[in-house]
Amino acid sequence: MSCSRLLIPLYLLSISLLFQLGLAIDLDSYSIYCSQSSFLAGGPYNKNLNNLVRYLDSKTPLTGFGSGSQGLGQNRTYGLALCRGDINSRDCKACVDQASNEIQKVCKLKKEAIAWYDVCMLKYSNLSFLGKIDNKNWYFEESTNFWSNPGYFNKEVIQILSTLQKEAYVSPKMYAAGALEIGNSTTLYGLVQCTRDLSSANCNICLEEAIGAVTPYFHGSVGGKIWGGSCNVRYEIYPFFNA
């Protein structure tokens, strides 16, 4: 299969897609992970966590990524927030605001949590994780529709995601998105992204693991999301990101 069919950047797509005003962000679909370990309401960890979340909420929309820690010793909390590389600061703030509210409601008094939305993620922990690959926390979601030839389709998915991987891990945003023409008049859209606390090498490793899960988990499904604590991949047969 020739790589020349890979359309990166997206401006090589049709004019109708190029000039669309932007896709509306979805804040209704999300997944949240909560740990079992808890902290005392109103205690030092609670105060540090509240300060950290406020910090991430204010810092992240400026560049699309924020990370940091608050407190000392056993009451120290670490966190990050990441917005998808194609969205503007207004939509980034809206998503991080929503994530910070929901994560503290769903994971009330839990020391560790991750909230995944289509356009942002928020993560915090009492353990130092910044700069390290999180290969324990994953969320998988697949389309209920399937391609008639799953083997062929999965090869095309791996093709586009692997090509985007090579672009993302060396880019400042650690983000890449593009499209690939497959079959008869079908376009496959893909997106990959890492949290920017990772080194380029660790971003590459994380994406390699995520892409490697496509075939066993999404065999022939025409859409799939793999959201992790350190990187995310997604593919669809419709445009889901902005040019």
Side-chain angles (χ1 to χ4, degrees), residues 104-179:
Q104 291 186 89
K105 285 192 290 186
V106 176
C107 301
K108 188 175 182 180
L109 303 182
K110 298 300 182 183
K111 288 185 176 181
E112 215 175 351
I114 308 174
W116 291 284
Y117 285 74
D118 277 343
V119 296
C120 76
M121 66 173 286
L122 176 67
K123 176 182 178 182
Y124 58 78
S125 175
N126 63 314
L127 304 175
S128 176
F129 66 83
L130 297 173
K132 303 173 185 177
I133 302 173
D134 180 352
N135 53 16
K136 297 184 298 182
N137 298 301
W138 296 98
Y139 170 76
F140 299 86
E141 183 179 315
E142 67 176 335
S143 169
T144 56
N145 298 316
F146 294 87
W147 196 266
S148 58
N149 184 340
Y152 162 78
F153 186 77
N154 268 61
K155 287 180 181 178
E156 301 292 82
V157 172
I158 299 301
Q159 165 74 4
I160 186 172
L161 294 180
S162 296
T163 303
L164 293 171
Q165 173 192 354
K166 294 172 185 175
E167 180 183 344
Y169 84 90
V170 295
S171 71
K173 281 188 173 183
M174 292 189 169
Y175 163 88

Side-chain angles (χ1 to χ4, degrees), residues 218-231:
F218 305 140
H219 193 56
S221 175
V222 298
K225 302 173 186 176
I226 300 176
W227 291 338
S230 296
C231 64

Side-chain angles (χ1 to χ4, degrees), residues 70-89:
Q70 291 283 327
L72 299 170
Q74 63 181 5
N75 292 313
R76 190 172 185 180
T77 181
Y78 305 82
L80 64 77
L82 174 71
C83 288
R84 211 171 66 192
D86 63 308
I87 67 168
N88 58 40
S89 58

Side-chain angles (χ1 to χ4, degrees), residues 12-73:
L12 295 177
L13 287 175
S14 67
I15 295 298
S16 61
L17 290 178
L18 177 61
F19 289 105
Q20 60 185 334
L21 295 177
L23 302 174
I25 63 171
D26 179 10
L27 297 181
D28 295 323
S29 301
Y30 60 90
S31 179
I32 294 180
Y33 157 79
C34 310
S35 71
Q36 296 298 314
S37 56
S38 301
F39 57 83
L40 292 175
Y45 188 86
N46 197 170
K47 293 177 182 177
N48 290 333
L49 179 58
N50 289 341
N51 289 337
L52 176 63
V53 170
R54 282 195 294 268
Y55 169 76
L56 295 175
D57 200 22
S58 64
K59 181 181 179 182
T60 305
L62 300 176
T63 63
F65 178 72
S67 65
S69 63
Q70 291 283 327
L72 299 170

